Amino acid sequence: MVSNSSWRHHARIDEIISEIDRVVVRITQNGIHSGTHPRMFKPTNKCFENEAIFIFTVSDGKISEIRAVSDRLGLFLQLGWEWPHPK
């Protein structure tokens, strides 16, 4: 997702829940946008903070699947992404 990644990024684990073959991790991530992204071609050098949730499926003691969701719209708005206007 991120190319030329030089984002200054930190992640804090807020919560971990595990049950049978699933582990859910809720994190808060923050940093400074100092790299590029397909929707933000130039670094903004703005600070950001958002939450993400990862769901890991574990089989035979190894992670076999990872699913994740994060507040990307909130992230882009914090970084000053201009809302697309319909033509």
Side-chain angles (χ1 to χ4, degrees), residues 48-66:
F48 67 89
E49 180 174 290
N50 76 338
E51 190 174 270
I53 297 173
F54 291 84
I55 302 171
F56 300 95
T57 301
V58 180
S59 55
D60 296 323
K62 296 180 181 179
I63 296 171
S64 60
E65 181 182 20
I66 301 172

Side-chain angles (χ1 to χ4, degrees), residues 1 7 29 37 39-40 50-52 68-79 81 83:
M1 285 227 338
W7 289 47
Q29 48 194 354
H37 186 280
R39 288 200 165 90
M40 301 195 83
N50 76 338
E51 190 174 270
V69 64
S70 66
D71 179 12
R72 290 188 194 151
L73 178 57
L75 171 66
F76 291 143
L77 292 175
Q78 288 177 63
L79 299 179
W81 182 53
W83 192 262

Side-chain angles (χ1 to χ4, degrees), residues 13-71:
I13 297 173
D14 297 315
E15 187 173 10
I16 299 176
I17 301 169
S18 65
E19 187 174 306
I20 307 172
D21 65 343
R22 299 273 199 289
V23 178
V24 178
V25 181
R26 183 175 59 84
I27 68 168
T28 299
Q29 48 194 354
N30 62 63
I32 298 172
H33 175 228
S34 57
T36 61
H37 186 280
R39 288 200 165 90
M40 301 195 83
F41 306 111
K42 294 181 183 178
T44 62
N45 293 310
K46 292 184 177 183
C47 295
F48 67 89
E49 180 174 290
N50 76 338
E51 190 174 270
I53 297 173
F54 291 84
I55 302 171
F56 300 95
T57 301
V58 180
S59 55
D60 296 323
K62 296 180 181 179
I63 296 171
S64 60
E65 181 182 20
I66 301 172
R67 288 178 280 160
V69 64
S70 66
D71 179 12

